[in-house]
Amino acid sequence: MAKVEWNDAVKSVSGALVKINKKSQHAADQKMILATHRVAATEDTHCNRLYIRGLSSVTRSTVPQAKELAARARFASVAAAVKARSKDLMQQATDIADFLAQKDTAGGKKTMRAYLWKVCGDAYDAALNG
């Protein structure tokens, strides 16, 4: 960890400044540089930090389990369904009416996108479980 002083033009930086290309033949020699800016109230004036990470800290050490692979497949499928349904003009009028009907109920989704994720997710789960 290092304390960082930026010039007057840059107040703070947060995120990855340099990333490791894991597919490169030189990946083991590369370093990732992460910058953070603390926004919590404090009396310490040093709010900026830099961290240097190697390949081992950004490489997964275990193989994904079946449950995780199923969650990834569900996410990809539901995301594609939401995208397609949001562009379907034939379905749009009924989706808007159904969304507005459930919006102010307990547990109702507050955005159209969240509502479509719920509807498409429920449809995916119903099709998977029969």
Side-chain angles (χ1 to χ4, degrees):
M1 173 179 57
K3 294 179 182 173
V4 180
E5 297 273 337
W6 303 107
N7 67 13
D8 292 337
V10 178
K11 298 292 182 205
S12 67
V13 175
S14 185
L17 301 176
V18 177
K19 290 186 177 182
I20 296 174
N21 180 359
K22 292 191 237 180
K23 295 178 183 175
S24 169
Q25 64 183 0
H26 304 292
D29 301 330
Q30 296 177 357
K31 299 291 181 196
M32 181 188 308
I33 301 175
L34 299 171
T36 62
H37 177 75
R38 186 186 64 236
V39 294
T42 182
E43 293 184 13
D44 188 7
T45 60
H46 301 290
C47 298
N48 297 309
R49 300 278 191 263
L50 280 180
Y51 300 92
I52 299 176
R53 301 281 187 247
L55 182 63
S56 63
S57 67
V58 296
T59 304
R60 186 178 182 132
S61 61
T62 59
V63 296
Q65 296 178 349
K67 185 177 179 180
E68 182 179 347
L69 294 174
R72 288 181 187 180
R74 181 184 188 277
F75 181 87
S77 180
V78 172
V82 166
K83 185 176 181 180
R85 188 166 177 153
S86 66
K87 293 181 180 180
D88 185 7
L89 297 177
M90 299 296 289
Q91 190 76 28
Q92 211 168 40
T94 57
D95 282 343
I96 291 172
D98 293 342
F99 165 69
L100 292 174
Q102 64 86 44
K103 181 180 173 184
D104 295 326
T105 62
K109 299 301 178 186
K110 303 300 180 197
T111 65
M112 185 68 172
R113 190 162 205 67
Y115 172 74
L116 289 177
W117 269 89
K118 181 179 180 344
V119 169
C120 293
D122 291 346
Y124 177 88
D125 294 339
L128 192 66
N129 296 329

